[in-house]
Every structure is written in C-alpha cells, then in structure tokens.
Amino acid sequence: MKKVVVLLLLCLWSLPNFAEASDVKAVKITETTPVFNEKQKVAVFQKGTTHTALKESDRFYHTVMGNEEVKFSKMRAVVVNSEPQNWKGAHPVRLKTVKTVDILEKPSVKAKALGSIQANTIIQAQHQKGNYFPIITGGSTGYIHKSMVQIEAGIPVLTYHDIVLTKTDQNVSKLELSKFQEQMNYLKRNHWTTITTAELELWVQKKKTLPKKSVLITFDDGYKSTIDLAYPVLKQHGLQATSFLITNRINRPGMVSEEDLIRTQDVYSYQNHTHAFHLFNSKTNLSYLQSESQEAIFLDILQANRSIENILGTDVTAHAYPYGKRGPQAVRALKAAGITSAYTIEEGNVFQGDSLYSLNRQRVHSGMSLKDFANKLEGK
C-alpha cells in the first residue's frame, strides 16, 4: 500500500476546502505537540513555533501539511497577534524520509527546528536548493537536508503544446524544434520507454508493471506543428505520444486535420481536450469545466469523444483539463462519458495510488535547459 502522505505540498487550488479566510489565524505552540491526520501521528510541532490554523474544531486546530489536513491539540497552542503565514506552494519533488527528520527554520544544520517528520514517510518538497529541500508545513517554510531523504522518481508525463522552427515571441509554451529534437535524442540515448495513457492508468492501479524509465509524452490542443515538426522526430526515434485534441478546432488553419489524425496513428494516440469548452466564462472568470453544469460538460466531453472515434474508430478514455481547471461536476461528467483518467497541469510525476482524475504532468517550455529536462524525468 502507498505510504501515508504527510506533506503533499501542491498549489493553492488543490488544497482542502477550509473555512473562510477570516477564520484563518496564527497560533503559537506552548508545549511540543504531536500532529495527526485521520489515522495516526504523522509529525511533531516544536514548542515556541508559530503555525497557521485554517480552522478549528472542539478539541483541535487544523492546518495543512501539503494536501493533507492535519490537526493538533488546542490545549497546546494559543492564538497570537501575528499575521497567518504563507501556506501556498508548488512541491513537485516526492521524497521518502530515511529516519526521523527535523524540519529546519533555515537551510543550515545549526538552524532551529520547527518540528519533525516520522521515518519512512512520503513527503512532497520544492526543487532542491543547495543541500536542502524547502517545504511548507503549517504555514511556515522549512528545510530538510538531502541526506535525510531519498527521491522517489515515479513516472513523468511531459506536456508540450506548439513546436516552432524559430521563436518570434515570448510565449514559453512554444518550443523550438531544435530543443525538441535534443530532448527526444536524450530519451532515446538514455533508454527511456514511451507509454500510453492506458498503460499508465493500469500502472497507477497496480495492475501492470512498466520499465523503470517509462515516460508519457503529451501534446495539448492539436496544433499542426505536432504533425509537421514533432511527428517526424518521434517516428525517427521510435517514440510514442498522446495528443489531447480540442475537437471543434480539427481542420481549422494551424490545427490538425482529419487526414493528419488517420495517417499518424503509428505514433500518436488521440484523446480528449474538450470539444467547445476550452474556454473561460467571462462573467465568473472560471473555466467552463468549473462554471458549467454537469450535463453541459458531459455533452461537450461526449461530443469530443465521438468526434475522435468517428474519425479513427478507436476508443477515447483519457482527458486533459483545459488550463488544468475543473470542478467536481466535471469529474462526474468525465466518468459518465467513459473517461477513465484525466490530467492536470500541476507539476510533478505520477505515482501508484494517485487519483486517476488528477494526474500530474511536467510542463516542458522553451526556458528549460537539457539538465532541467533530465531532472524532471527523474522527479528532481
């Protein structure tokens, strides 16, 4: 079974649904206190440290360690006048503690400890800085020494959009062909195996084994460049990829055509990126997969599925959320439409036991070096 996740430190939109911001307060620990999730003790907060309490119940203050709500005794803390601290942050690196680990206030072995984490615990951290991994716990930024943890690599899901011969603007989602070639050369030279969404889904459910160096390559939107520029490179190296299509844009200028889809199935698996719902609601500033009804989303997803299936005669089972945004009604709609896995834009690799409807991806952009690319593959 997957180890208890103590510090899944992801972006704000993925955090639990806590009370209104007015209820958030700073509390000071008056006596070193254990911290619990729903099942067991997961950490310790040191006496004298200040943490952000996001809500309270009869006996406990509640805070966040990553994406997990945790709690500690109200009898061992007092409310203080300090401003509640930051509890946001992207933490794409997954670590496992090799022993009980101190969370240090500063990146120094002589720094004060904010608390500690149990041995053999899975934690999420920011990218390594020097000899330390930064984390956010209870509203404070702390540091864990690299010698106290092991990196868990998982499986990377790479995200591309448009491939260009030469950059003419500052849009980092447009990647130069030369860089794409360099990255695909790296995958081939270092013996990475490309997989499909169906294979990754089975692996997440522990129903299939995959080579240690497995990677899922994905493209969003369905740009013509995925055919004219990316396809020859992928084919040359014997690599597979998945293309998430906005299906009402098929056959438009600059986008893939039906003929393109048919003739490139030896490299690409074509999947769902909505039909006409790749939009924001101008009145609410929410994406359509957040603002629209479950029925409306279901009909759009079903239309996208049918558009691809009618062209290719293949089943569509995977979806990439536009802008990474979704509401609970969208997930229900995806399930009803036959989608069995869905991908976010939240940074990090995928691990066994992850939710199939909130799978992480690693964005590839023009500002990355080849070393950055290699680090993403390894989950660093």
Side-chain angles (χ1 to χ4, degrees):
M1 294 292 292
K2 181 180 172 184
K3 295 288 184 182
V4 175
V5 178
V6 174
L7 298 175
L8 280 175
L9 303 166
L10 300 173
C11 297
L12 174 60
W13 61 78
S14 67
L15 291 167
N17 185 22
F18 287 103
E20 296 296 326
S22 58
D23 296 327
V24 177
K25 59 189 67 174
V27 297
K28 187 174 184 178
I29 305 299
T30 58
E31 184 179 349
T32 297
T33 182
V35 180
F36 302 90
N37 61 14
E38 291 184 358
K39 299 179 180 179
Q40 62 187 28
K41 174 183 173 182
V42 294
V44 171
F45 286 161
Q46 295 287 356
K47 178 181 178 180
T49 57
T50 301
H51 299 273
T52 299
L54 301 173
K55 69 176 185 181
E56 60 182 289
S57 54
D58 290 343
R59 296 172 52 202
F60 298 98
Y61 287 119
H62 297 248
T63 190
V64 165
M65 284 189 166
N67 198 41
E68 183 172 38
E69 181 178 339
V70 295
K71 59 188 180 182
F72 54 94
S73 174
K74 293 170 72 173
M75 298 295 291
R76 299 188 178 189
V78 294
V79 177
V80 293
N81 292 327
S82 303
E83 286 293 320
Q85 299 179 67
N86 179 40
W87 51 285
K88 308 174 187 178
H91 295 75
V93 180
R94 177 164 160 146
L95 308 171
K96 183 178 181 180
T97 57
V98 296
K99 58 180 71 175
T100 300
V101 177
D102 284 337
I103 306 172
L104 301 175
E105 187 177 36
K106 298 178 181 179
S108 168
V109 292
K110 297 180 180 180
K112 175 183 175 182
L114 299 172
S116 59
I117 306 168
Q118 306 289 84
N120 298 314
T121 297
I122 300 298
I123 61 175
Q124 293 291 131
Q126 296 174 2
H127 293 296
Q128 184 176 335
K129 296 180 180 179
N131 291 322
Y132 293 86
F133 288 98
I135 62 171
I136 294 176
T137 175
S140 299
T141 299
Y143 300 86
I144 295 176
H145 196 274
K146 66 178 184 180
S147 66
M148 307 296 284
V149 293
Q150 296 173 336
I151 293 176
E152 302 257 297
I155 291 182
V157 181
L158 304 177
T159 304
Y160 295 91
H161 286 81
D162 200 3
I163 307 297
V164 296
L165 290 174
T166 305
K167 291 279 286 190
T168 58
D169 56 39
Q170 299 302 311
N171 185 347
V172 294
S173 292
K174 294 181 179 180
L175 184 72
E176 300 92 329
L177 177 60
S178 59
K179 289 190 175 182
F180 182 71
Q181 289 172 321
E182 182 182 43
Q183 292 165 3
M184 296 306 103
N185 289 341
Y186 182 90
L187 293 180
K188 186 68 174 180
R189 185 171 64 252
N190 289 278
H191 310 293
W192 284 83
T193 300
T194 51
I195 60 174
T196 65
T197 56
E199 289 175 316
L200 183 62
E201 181 181 330
L202 291 172
W203 179 82
V204 169
Q205 299 175 92
K206 303 180 182 179
K207 295 179 180 179
K208 181 181 179 65
T209 59
L210 290 173
K212 183 178 180 180
K213 287 186 173 183
S214 292
V215 58
L216 174 59
I217 300 172
T218 68
F219 291 83
D220 282 4
D221 301 338
Y223 290 102
K224 184 71 170 178
S225 65
T226 62
I227 306 298
D228 296 342
L229 300 179
Y231 172 79
V233 176
L234 293 166
K235 187 175 178 65
Q236 174 189 356
H237 291 303
L239 303 175
Q240 295 177 292
T242 294
S243 180
F244 291 108
L245 300 176
I246 305 170
T247 55
N248 77 340
R249 300 183 188 179
I250 294 173
N251 294 323
R252 290 187 185 180
M255 309 302 287
V256 297
S257 68
E258 293 185 18
E259 182 182 348
D260 291 331
L261 306 188
I262 293 169
R263 70 179 179 84
T264 57
Q265 292 179 83
D266 58 333
V267 165
Y268 287 115
S269 167
Y270 289 101
Q271 301 292 332
N272 187 314
H273 199 35
T274 71
H275 178 67
F277 271 23
H278 195 289
L279 297 167
F280 269 94
N281 185 312
S282 60
K283 295 181 179 179
T284 64
N285 202 32
L286 297 172
S287 80
Y288 272 33
L289 265 66
Q290 293 174 302
S291 65
E292 302 305 303
S293 69
Q294 180 176 330
E295 180 181 6
I297 296 170
F298 167 77
L299 292 174
D300 182 87
I301 298 301
L302 193 63
Q303 179 61 56
N305 284 356
R306 288 175 175 171
S307 296
I308 297 169
E309 290 166 355
N310 288 340
I311 296 169
L312 301 177
T314 57
D315 292 336
V316 176
T317 59
H319 173 83
Y321 299 110
Y323 322 105
K325 307 293 186 181
R326 71 279 187 191
Q329 79 277 24
V331 177
R332 293 192 293 268
L334 291 178
K335 292 178 179 179
I339 297 296
T340 53
S341 63
Y343 294 80
T344 71
I345 59 170
E346 291 157 19
E347 189 181 357
N349 286 354
V350 173
F351 297 88
Q352 289 188 319
D354 284 353
S355 168
L356 287 173
Y357 292 89
S358 58
L359 297 173
N360 293 337
R361 292 195 286 174
Q362 296 279 16
R363 181 188 180 201
V364 182
H365 56 82
S366 61
M368 288 172 54
S369 67
L370 189 61
K371 182 178 180 181
D372 294 334
F373 178 78
N375 284 341
K376 283 182 179 286
L377 293 172
E378 299 288 351
K380 296 179 180 179

